[in-house]
């Protein structure tokens, strides 16, 4: 998954869950997705999008700092499970 696709999917989740804030909120995550894509791969981007979308559907709207923390967890998890990228 490419960063822009992940942002779009997150926009859909936010739009469905949190009224009209989706585009503004999700667009702020683009640098995070781009960092994950640079340091990981499409699967890492997909994993991050899934985790953030899960938080949104649970009623939260993660801040960019929280998204960055989740991104670090995704990358750390992948380093431990697949030998890193």
């Amino acid at each position: 998954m490419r960063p822009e696709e992940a942002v779009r999917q997150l926009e859909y989740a936010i739009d469905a869950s949190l009224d009209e804030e989706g585009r503004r909120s999700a667009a702020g995550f683009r640098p995070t997705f781009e960092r994950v894509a640079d340091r990981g791969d499409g699967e890492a981007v997909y994993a991050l999008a899934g985790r953030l979308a899960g938080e949104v559907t649970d009623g939260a709207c993660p801040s960019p700092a929280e998204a960055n923390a989740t991104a670090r967890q995704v990358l750390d998890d992948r380093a431990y499970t697949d030998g890193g990228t």
Side-chain angles (χ1 to χ4, degrees):
M1 177 178 279
R2 294 183 308 212
E4 59 273 7
E5 293 169 342
V7 170
R8 191 173 320 114
Q9 292 303 316
L10 196 54
E11 285 173 351
Y12 297 149
I14 291 172
D15 284 344
S17 302
L18 300 173
D19 301 328
E20 297 179 14
E21 294 183 27
R23 292 202 187 273
R24 281 190 318 245
S25 298
F29 299 135
R30 182 178 300 261
T32 301
F33 283 112
E34 289 173 349
R35 267 193 310 281
V36 169
D38 288 343
R39 295 180 186 162
D41 57 14
E43 288 181 30
V45 172
Y46 184 80
L48 175 60
R51 288 191 191 184
L52 293 176
E55 291 180 31
V56 169
T57 57
D58 287 343
C61 186
S63 69
E66 291 167 329
N68 285 331
T70 302
R72 280 191 298 277
Q73 291 172 346
V74 166
L75 291 171
D76 287 348
D77 289 350
R78 293 186 51 77
Y80 289 121
T81 58
D82 69 2
T85 50

